[in-house]
Amino acid sequence: TLTATATDTDGTVAKVEFYNGATLIGTATAAPYTATWSSISAGSYQITAQATDNLGGITTSTPVTVTVDTPPSITLTTPTSGTVLAGPTNVTLTADASDTDGTITQVTFLQNGSPIGTVTTAPYSLTWNAAPGSYQLTANATDNLGITSTSAPITLTVIANSAPTISPTRP
């Protein structure tokens, strides 16, 4: 949503037009002066508002730079969903993360919504000491503009590892 404030000391504001460069985005004829800009591709844009008063006078605002960022993508690759391990045990968590219009600044691994650890360089991997229990694991990727995406969740079950028992037998 784009918003502008416009006033006219010797008349009224007839309309406010919003532009991306020379391309009209939308027109508002009453305060509050707003327009909705949708289906925007990633990139940087110069946005201006142009107010026209009741006598045809026109004033254009100073351009404002708007940057549209594509969120990063992330997939938790190991362990695979449904894995069952005996434990407590060390589990290697690995994620693939990428950003088409920037860089990944960090990947945070989470178990049941709580952070386990953060990695700032590829490959995005860490070792977690998992106690017996059932876990939902996810990973968050954050890009250079601070936009974060979350992977699809996977499930992991760690069962208590108990020593085998031996019963003596009689010959």
Side-chain angles (χ1 to χ4, degrees), residues 13-117:
V13 175
K15 66 180 176 180
V16 174
E17 297 173 310
F18 295 89
Y19 289 90
N20 168 26
T23 304
L24 179 66
I25 296 169
T27 302
T29 57
Y33 302 105
T34 63
T36 301
W37 189 25
S38 58
S39 301
I40 310 162
S41 299
S44 289
Y45 303 92
Q46 294 291 312
I47 306 301
T48 57
Q50 187 177 76
T52 303
D53 71 9
N54 59 308
L55 299 175
I58 297 173
T59 301
T60 303
S61 71
T62 302
V64 173
T65 301
V66 173
T67 301
V68 177
D69 186 31
T70 300
S73 64
I74 184 159
T75 303
L76 192 54
T77 56
T78 59
T80 57
S81 193
T83 297
V84 177
L85 301 170
T89 188
N90 288 330
V91 179
T92 300
L93 305 175
T94 306
D96 286 334
S98 62
D99 189 39
T100 59
D101 60 356
T103 58
I104 300 295
T105 59
Q106 69 180 29
V107 170
T108 301
F109 294 91
L110 302 103
Q111 59 93 3
N112 299 337
S114 297
I116 297 170

